[in-house]
Amino acid sequence: MSNVPNRRFSLFLLLLTLVSFSQLSRAALVENIEQFNKAAASVSPGDEIVLANGTWNDVELVLKGKGQADNPITLKAQTPGKVIITGQSNLAFSGEYIVISGLVFKDGSTPTGEVISFRTSNDDVANHSRVTNTVIDNFSTDLRQMSDLWVAMYGKHNRFDHNSLVNKRNRGVTLAVRMNSEASRKNQHVIEYNYFGPRQILGANGGETLRIGTSHFSREYSNTTAQFNYFDRTNGEHEIISNKSSGNSLINNVFFETQGTLTMRHGHFTTVEGNYFLGNRKPNTGGIRIINESQSVSNNYMYGLTGKRLRGALVIMNGVPNSPPNRYDPVIDSAMNTNIVIDSDHIELGAGADAERSAPPTTSEFKGNIILGKTNLEPFTLYDDMSGINFEGNYLNEEASTPIKSGFASTTYSVTTNQYGLKSPDKALLDKIGFGEVKLPVTKEEVGARFYPKNEATIAFQSGKNIPVKAGTDTLIDALATSQPGDVMVLENGGEYLLTKFAEVHHPITILAEEGEKPILRSQKPNFINIENGGALEVENLWFDGAESPDYKGNTIISTSSYSMNINYNLAVRNVKVTDLDVNGYFYFFKANPGTFADSIEVVDSEFSNITGAILQLNREVDDLGVYSVENLLISGNTFTDVKEEVVTVYRGGTDESTFGPMVTVKDNTLTNVGKGSTHRSGASMYFHGVQKLNISDTNWNDSAPLELFLTNGGPITVIEDVEMKNSGKIRANKDQYESSNVTYD
């Protein structure tokens, strides 16, 4: 009997232990925001809040708590990938040792400035916390120029890993490390094994994928590491990674066909090592840009990069003497060593040199680099005195040349595809610089949320079904209403089509007729066709005529939405006839409204006559902030006759250098009596303002207003060749900084 009290006491201790353990390890399955808020109000170390599978619409999730290193607080999906957060929603958390996992933010937008925030207020930040196996996909405001952050990291010692961030469509950084309080500096964050999926060209500043710091805190230390991440066509703007603080490590990342560079924009003591840049000869693909002091760039690999000037494979910039924090500190005590550059076109030294950026690099070095290429046999461009860089032990293939007098040895161009599918120099040459094996540090399959596929989001023209459309009134409208992305509207040869409503295009659509007599389209609305958000349009072998259009100033054949479009569109016009847009003044063929952006516009092999407006009006972004309307424009093989305004007006104002475009090609066209009613000075037949790459060739002007150019910053490349201007005046330009050859006047 004497053992009974002991047994009772042991049982009491066991029950007490179980109760204590249950308190530390509560798992609450919550099915709505009210249940979540109740569970989040009193979390303890070891607690789990589990979001039930399903769609969570218009929820603002706020979690505060203090977990422990071996007993964190967890917020997770019931099944990873099965909790879809949409609508006006976001997540903010603060405290210690919190883990977030398995969530999907999709097809919505944040009601605040951040989708996932590592803080709940200015003073309450997260430390020693982690976001993993989570997705943000197309979580963008409808207004493309409204800025927000998808992920904002505050606090210290946080980790962001194995997440997928895809299809950010509006302005703002995809992932930003914030340093606007002492509690978020010297943070030791780790950003690793993430998939940064395709990001469309923004056509404005503010499209960085990863930014660490800001210019205001650029000389403070962040000490952030970004490693083993995969950047897949993240083309938002010129700076894919924007380093704007000191002491960061950007190592072992892969950049696949990214139109931009890893840029040390601000801050010192940055380590950039072991990164792979696979340009594959895509336009504007770039590598690494050095600015500031004590930067180390080593053991990086570049293949097939085509970017020029600030977008080269390797770029060392000029700086501003005694620079303020938001400009360009000179390059001092920096190294660009032991890198491999294969079939990449441009290495730019002293880039950006001008009256302000007048300080060339000093006490720096360029050693042990291998540069092999046949696409450009003069890869080096020097914009200033480069005596402050010590060149030593570099290798350049024997067909190529460099203006640098020493520090380069000639070698054979011996490049093979290795067992990993990468172009590699011979092992003997690699051994000479101590590079090691050419192998990706991480693959696309090894990064991102495990459950989320890395599918292509774009739909090609003519990838759907053919839909015959009979001639008649609104038959095309009816066909468009039931169409699917990629479908082809096939019109009857010689048929007449009348539109009494707006024809709206909400997804990629082709409208064409087979080879033969063109069908004729007329409309009783001010616009024939409106490209709405998500839409793209291809027209071929059609005839647009203005005879039925209303007596309205500003009629348009094709227009983008009058509302902001956060999805880029494409427009292709081929073998089209356009006549008698003259029912009133200012009748345009195509008008791009503000807040819309085209990846590509092409007008090819078409004829335009008797038009009181312009053919292409691409000049509605007038805030002079570097914003513009189209990235790539092609005008080729056309005739323009009796056009009152311009064939084309392209406008990119301001002095921002964060973007590449517009890029315009004009070739093999004929202009007759064009532009005499233009509002530009005394008239212009074509007006290009701030175009970054312009090539005009094999084009004739007859009795037309002159070509007018306004050249701005960014090192624009303007080439005019093999053109004839009869009774059309001379080229007008604000600067004599363009190349011309075989230009004749009569």
Side-chain angles (χ1 to χ4, degrees):
M1 296 294 294
S2 60
N3 290 331
V4 172
N6 290 334
R7 287 198 297 271
R8 289 175 178 173
F9 182 71
S10 298
L11 182 60
F12 172 79
L13 290 178
L14 177 60
L15 290 172
L16 182 64
T17 301
L18 290 173
V19 169
S20 300
F21 181 79
S22 66
Q23 288 176 340
L24 292 174
S25 305
R26 292 180 299 174
L29 177 66
V30 297
E31 297 183 344
N32 53 53
I33 189 63
E34 291 78 18
Q35 292 180 8
F36 169 83
N37 289 336
K38 184 177 180 180
S42 58
V43 287
S44 301
D47 284 356
E48 290 186 351
I49 299 177
V50 182
L51 301 188
N53 292 347
T55 299
W56 291 66
N57 188 48
D58 294 338
V59 292
E60 295 189 63
L61 304 170
V62 179
L63 177 62
K64 300 179 183 180
K66 290 190 175 182
Q68 298 169 346
D70 58 351
N71 214 18
I73 296 167
T74 302
L75 170 62
K76 67 179 185 178
Q78 182 180 11
T79 304
K82 299 298 184 182
V83 172
I84 309 300
I85 301 171
T86 189
Q88 291 283 293
S89 301
N90 60 7
L91 165 66
F93 61 96
S94 63
E96 306 281 334
Y97 298 103
I98 296 174
V99 177
I100 312 292
S101 71
L103 309 180
V104 177
F105 292 80
K106 186 173 176 61
D107 298 336
S109 63
T110 175
T112 60
E114 299 162 352
V115 180
I116 297 178
S117 180
F118 283 67
R119 72 174 183 180
T120 55
S121 72
N122 288 347
D123 298 324
D124 297 310
V125 299
N127 299 306
H128 300 285
S129 294
R130 179 186 184 192
V131 175
T132 186
N133 204 32
T134 287
V135 174
I136 308 178
D137 184 355
N138 190 31
F139 215 75
S140 304
T141 175
D142 291 338
L143 302 174
R144 68 182 292 116
Q145 292 302 336
M146 181 176 287
S147 181
D148 58 39
L149 308 177
W150 270 11
V151 179
M153 297 186 73
Y154 300 89
K156 296 184 179 182
H157 300 285
N158 294 314
R159 184 183 179 199
F160 188 83
D161 68 284
H162 294 90
N163 302 293
S164 296
L165 306 179
V166 185
N167 292 321
K168 192 174 197 305
R169 302 190 183 282
N170 64 309
R171 193 171 189 169
V173 182
T174 305
L175 191 162
V177 174
R178 304 302 308 274
M179 300 173 58
N180 48 345
S181 72
E182 186 62 36
S184 297
R185 297 171 199 157
K186 297 181 180 177
N187 53 64
Q188 305 290 335
H189 295 325
V190 176
I191 301 165
E192 62 183 353
Y193 293 100
N194 300 291
Y195 176 66
F196 294 95
R199 181 169 183 181
Q200 65 187 12
I201 298 169
L202 182 63
N205 189 11
E208 304 98 326
T209 296
L210 171 61
R211 188 186 70 204
I212 306 174
T214 59
S215 59
H216 188 73
F217 302 104
S218 61
R219 290 163 186 169
E220 299 282 350
Y221 281 79
S222 181
N223 299 336
T224 294
T225 297
Q227 62 185 3
F228 301 108
N229 301 289
Y230 197 100
F231 296 83
D232 183 1
R233 291 161 290 172
T234 49
N235 299 336
E237 63 146 86
H238 169 52
E239 297 179 13
I240 304 303
I241 293 182
S242 184
N243 185 87
K244 291 189 173 182
S245 53
S246 297
N248 299 314
S249 297
L250 310 173
I251 56 179
N252 297 322
N253 302 287
V254 176
F255 299 79
F256 179 79
E257 296 180 3
T258 55
Q259 294 188 27
T261 61
L262 186 164
T263 301
M264 284 158 272
R265 183 63 183 87
H266 297 303
H268 311 307
F269 295 96
T270 312
T271 299
V272 178
E273 183 175 333
N275 301 285
Y276 277 59
F277 297 80
L278 308 178
N280 297 328
R281 306 298 302 165
K282 300 295 183 181
N284 297 316
T285 46
I288 298 170
R289 182 160 60 123
I290 287 184
I291 312 164
N292 311 298
E293 301 179 20
S294 302
Q295 314 287 42
S296 176
V297 175
S298 64
N299 290 90
N300 300 285
Y301 172 94
M302 292 88 174
Y303 169 72
L305 305 178
T306 62
K308 190 174 183 180
R309 298 189 179 173
L310 301 189
R311 300 99 180 176
L314 295 175
V315 180
I316 301 178
M317 285 198 68
N318 261 29
V320 178
N322 302 310
S323 176
N326 67 331
R327 293 303 293 152
Y328 292 81
D329 280 330
V331 175
I332 302 172
D333 295 336
S334 295
M336 188 173 272
N337 298 341
T338 323
N339 301 288
I340 296 176
V341 183
I342 296 178
D343 291 337
S344 298
D345 293 345
H346 299 286
I347 297 173
E348 311 280 2
L349 305 179
D354 56 20
E356 180 199 25
R357 292 180 294 213
S358 60
T362 58
T363 58
S364 295
E365 58 187 34
F366 189 99
K367 295 182 178 181
N369 299 288
I370 298 173
I371 297 110
L372 302 177
K374 293 188 176 181
T375 54
N376 181 13
L377 297 180
E378 297 179 350
F380 284 86
T381 302
L382 279 58
Y383 296 92
D384 206 332
D385 176 18
M386 290 297 110
S387 60
I389 300 177
N390 179 25
F391 296 92
E392 183 180 315
N394 301 291
Y395 293 89
L396 185 68
N397 56 289
E398 55 196 6
E399 303 94 334
S401 63
T402 173
I404 302 164
K405 302 303 181 183
S406 63
F408 288 83
S410 291
T411 186
T412 58
Y413 177 91
S414 181
V415 174
T416 57
T417 301
N418 68 13
Q419 60 182 314
Y420 306 111
L422 298 174
K423 300 290 185 181
S424 175
D426 290 341
K427 185 177 184 302
L429 190 57
L430 293 174
D431 290 343
K432 286 183 179 180
I433 67 168
F435 188 89
E437 194 173 30
V438 174
K439 180 182 179 182
L440 292 182
V442 70
T443 66
K444 187 174 176 179
E445 292 70 32
E446 294 173 312
V447 299
R450 293 184 296 274
F451 58 82
Y452 206 73
K454 302 177 178 71
N455 295 332
E456 293 296 323
T458 57
I459 298 172
F461 286 128
Q462 303 191 37
S463 59
K465 60 184 180 298
N466 286 4
I467 301 176
V469 182
K470 291 186 176 298
T473 299
D474 291 335
T475 54
L476 178 58
I477 302 286
D478 295 338
L480 287 172
T482 60
S483 67
Q484 297 297 315
D487 283 352
V488 181
M489 312 288 103
V490 182
L491 276 55
E492 297 177 348
N493 290 108
E496 295 190 10
Y497 293 80
L498 179 64
L499 310 177
T500 67
K501 307 172 186 176
F502 293 116
E504 294 186 351
V505 174
H506 294 274
H507 42 245
I509 283 292
T510 299
I511 306 173
L512 59 73
E514 302 295 345
E515 185 176 350
E517 186 179 1
K518 291 178 171 63
I520 188 166
L521 284 78
R522 298 186 176 96
S523 178
Q524 295 177 351
K525 301 294 284 184
N527 296 354
F528 282 47
I529 304 173
N530 292 331
I531 301 174
E532 301 295 335
N533 198 30
L537 179 63
E538 180 182 54
V539 294
E540 185 172 345
N541 197 35
L542 306 179
W543 179 359
F544 293 98
D545 183 76
E548 289 286 336
S549 295
D551 187 4
Y552 179 84
K553 182 180 288 187
N555 287 333
T556 305
I557 300 296
I558 303 170
S559 175
T560 61
S561 174
S562 57
Y563 302 99
S564 179
M565 295 167 55
N566 67 5
I567 303 176
N568 294 0
Y569 68 93
N570 293 288
L571 173 64
V573 177
R574 303 189 185 97
N575 189 26
V576 162
K577 182 178 180 179
V578 182
T579 58
D580 298 334
L581 308 189
D582 62 351
V583 66
N584 202 320
Y586 309 103
F587 199 147
Y588 302 94
F589 175 70
F590 175 73
K591 183 187 297 183
N593 284 309
T596 67
F597 188 83
D599 285 328
S600 172
I601 296 175
E602 61 177 73
V603 180
V604 177
D605 298 334
S606 297
E607 54 180 299
F608 300 80
S609 63
N610 192 23
I611 295 168
T612 59
I615 307 303
L616 300 172
Q617 190 180 63
L618 302 165
N619 63 342
R620 304 298 297 280
E621 301 287 2
V622 295
D623 291 336
D624 289 344
L625 298 174
V627 182
Y628 54 104
S629 295
V630 58
E631 187 71 6
N632 298 283
L633 173 62
L634 172 65
I635 304 172
S636 175
N638 307 289
T639 61
F640 304 98
T641 306
D642 298 330
V643 179
K644 184 178 179 180
E645 294 193 25
E646 306 82 26
V647 165
V648 59
T649 302
V650 179
Y651 190 91
R652 175 192 187 271
T655 59
D656 190 85
E657 295 179 322
S658 299
T659 50
F660 296 107
M663 293 176 285
V664 180
T665 299
V666 178
K667 62 181 181 180
D668 194 26
N669 302 284
T670 300
L671 288 70
T672 303
N673 190 29
V674 173
K676 292 182 178 179
S678 166
T679 58
H680 291 288
R681 298 184 187 178
S682 57
S685 55
M686 296 184 183
Y687 180 71
F688 299 105
H689 186 118
V691 172
Q692 292 298 287
K693 187 175 182 181
L694 173 63
N695 189 293
I696 301 175
S697 63
D698 300 304
T699 293
N700 297 325
W701 276 256
N702 302 302
D703 298 312
S704 296
L707 165 68
E708 187 168 347
L709 310 173
F710 193 95
L711 305 174
T712 59
N713 68 308
I717 302 169
T718 304
V719 178
I720 302 171
E721 55 190 354
D722 299 324
V723 303
E724 184 176 23
M725 296 187 169
K726 294 182 178 180
N727 193 30
S728 300
K730 293 190 175 182
I731 299 171
R732 293 198 301 257
N734 66 317
K735 299 178 182 179
D736 188 22
Q737 295 178 354
Y738 61 89
E739 300 177 27
S740 62
S741 62
N742 197 22
V743 178
T744 60
Y745 300 98
D746 185 2

